[in-house]
Amino acid sequence: MSKLNSEKVKNFAIRYAMVWVMLLIIAFFSYKSGRFATLDNLQNIMIAAAPFALIALGQTLVILTGGIDLSPGSTIAVAAMTGAWVSVNVRDNWWLPIIAAILAGTIVGMINGVLVANLNLPPFIATLGTMTAASGVAYAIGGGAPINGLPDSYGWIANTRLFGLTIPVIAMILGIVILAVVMKRTVFGMQVYAVGGNAEAAGIAGIRTKWVLFRVYAISGLLAGISGLMLSSRVISGPPSLGQGFELDSIAAVVIGGASLLGGRGTVWGTALGLLLMQTLNNGLDILTVPTYWQSVVKGLLIVAAVSVDVWSTKRRQDS
């Protein structure tokens, strides 16, 4: 094999490394358990992935700008508690809890946008503060306790099926497709990549970098609000701890999907693949009754491996 062909093979293998990993994981679990490779289990994976998908999509936009959002988990809790509170107190309006939950999430995202874009706070610090404050707000809405006694109609959001798919799964598919098109085909998508690649150069080129950053964090909050609504609808309750730790899973999905934490590089399809890989791994390990602590070890190793591949491939491009 010539040197040129060898380089092509290496680049191809690196570019689709997560695809190979995904296929190996599917093959392994299919071999170990007959319960894994079934249509019902595929639906379980998709249903579990749906709420994570929305916050991972929002996290993708943030990371593409070179930032990070630590608040999606708390934003989910605020949205869920807001929707549940409105549902309990305004029972004759099925649509009002939906609007309230999504609006609550969007407001948290907009606050992040103001802190990062207008006040120039580091994204880590800004969203860490918002995460802590929003978690407190979620508990305050319910007086420190979950909100129960929601009408059964509240559960239709997560449990209604259209064309054989639940509404959250449909929302996940639409979200991935729409955002992929936006990032590939629109001016906004180009601006997000430009800001993440070099914010100073983007500003010189006439891009309103602060406006781009504000919208990115607002969208992240909006998607977390929808996720919180779907999760609370699934359990027909408003737990103030809902979404705890989801922000780390969303960051992991984006990183495993090939996005650079430095910004400017990554795709929506990569995030979708990273998300499905994580959910498939969780599902397969659950079926094999692997203890939770070992599942965390495997997930951590996968994240480190994904970042290592990213650093190595970046170094290769710079050296070539």
Side-chain angles (χ1 to χ4, degrees):
M1 183 182 292
S2 67
K3 184 176 180 180
L4 181 59
N5 289 335
S6 177
E7 282 298 312
K8 285 183 178 180
V9 171
K10 286 182 181 178
N11 291 334
F12 182 81
I14 293 170
R15 183 176 182 181
Y16 296 102
M18 286 301 107
V19 176
W20 310 132
V21 172
M22 183 73 166
L23 293 175
L24 287 172
I25 288 174
I26 292 173
F28 173 76
F29 287 129
S30 298
Y31 169 74
K32 296 294 289 185
S33 173
R35 292 170 50 202
F36 180 80
T38 63
L39 183 59
D40 286 342
N41 193 52
L42 175 60
Q43 291 179 339
N44 291 336
I45 293 173
M46 297 291 282
I47 290 171
F52 286 102
L54 294 181
I55 58 174
L57 291 175
Q59 192 74 252
T60 301
L61 294 180
V62 172
I63 288 178
L64 283 175
T65 62
I68 199 163
D69 189 355
L70 299 178
S71 66
S74 296
T75 305
I76 284 173
V78 169
M81 294 297 285
T82 301
W85 186 91
V86 173
S87 183
V88 166
N89 289 278
V90 190
R91 288 180 175 267
D92 56 343
N93 282 310
W94 63 268
W95 50 268
L96 201 55
I98 297 175
I99 295 175
I102 296 174
L103 182 61
T106 305
I107 289 173
V108 176
M110 292 171 68
I111 292 172
N112 283 332
V114 170
L115 293 176
V116 173
N118 296 92
L119 299 184
N120 296 319
L121 293 182
F124 183 91
I125 300 300
T127 59
L128 178 63
T130 307
M131 176 187 74
T132 306
S135 178
V137 170
Y139 278 92
I141 292 172
I147 298 177
N148 298 312
L150 279 65
D152 292 339
S153 59
Y154 190 78
W156 77 266
I157 302 167
N159 301 308
T160 299
R161 288 181 177 269
L162 296 173
F163 311 109
L165 301 174
T166 62
I167 289 180
V169 172
I170 294 174
M172 174 183 69
I173 295 171
L174 289 176
I176 291 171
V177 172
I178 292 171
L179 195 59
V181 172
V182 167
M183 297 306 295
K184 188 77 173 178
R185 303 291 183 184
T186 69
V187 173
F188 173 69
M190 177 202 71
Q191 291 175 340
V192 170
Y193 280 106
V195 170
N198 190 322
E200 185 176 348
I204 294 173
I207 296 175
R208 298 167 60 192
T209 57
K210 290 185 176 182
W211 178 230
V212 172
L213 289 173
F214 176 82
R215 284 186 289 173
V216 159
Y217 284 94
I219 292 171
S220 180
L222 182 148
L223 293 173
I226 298 174
S227 180
L229 174 68
M230 293 192 303
L231 285 168
S232 61
S233 174
R234 181 188 296 177
V235 297
I236 317 181
S237 175
S241 61
L242 194 66
Q244 196 170 52
F246 280 26
E247 58 281 338
L248 298 181
D249 283 335
S250 69
I251 294 169
V254 178
V255 172
I256 290 171
S260 172
L261 289 174
L262 299 177
R265 184 160 56 84
T267 66
V268 172
W269 295 114
T271 294
L273 179 61
L275 172 82
L276 290 175
L277 192 152
M278 288 180 59
Q279 292 302 318
T280 301
L281 189 63
N282 290 339
N283 177 270
L285 293 174
D286 283 339
I287 288 176
L288 297 182
T289 64
V290 175
T292 304
Y293 47 86
W294 283 117
Q295 293 188 30
S296 298
V297 171
V298 172
K299 190 185 299 183
L301 291 174
L302 186 62
I303 294 169
V304 171
V307 175
S308 299
V309 170
D310 175 63
V311 171
W312 180 65
S313 59
T314 300
K315 188 175 184 300
R316 286 183 79 248
R317 285 195 298 270
Q318 291 173 345
D319 293 341
S320 60

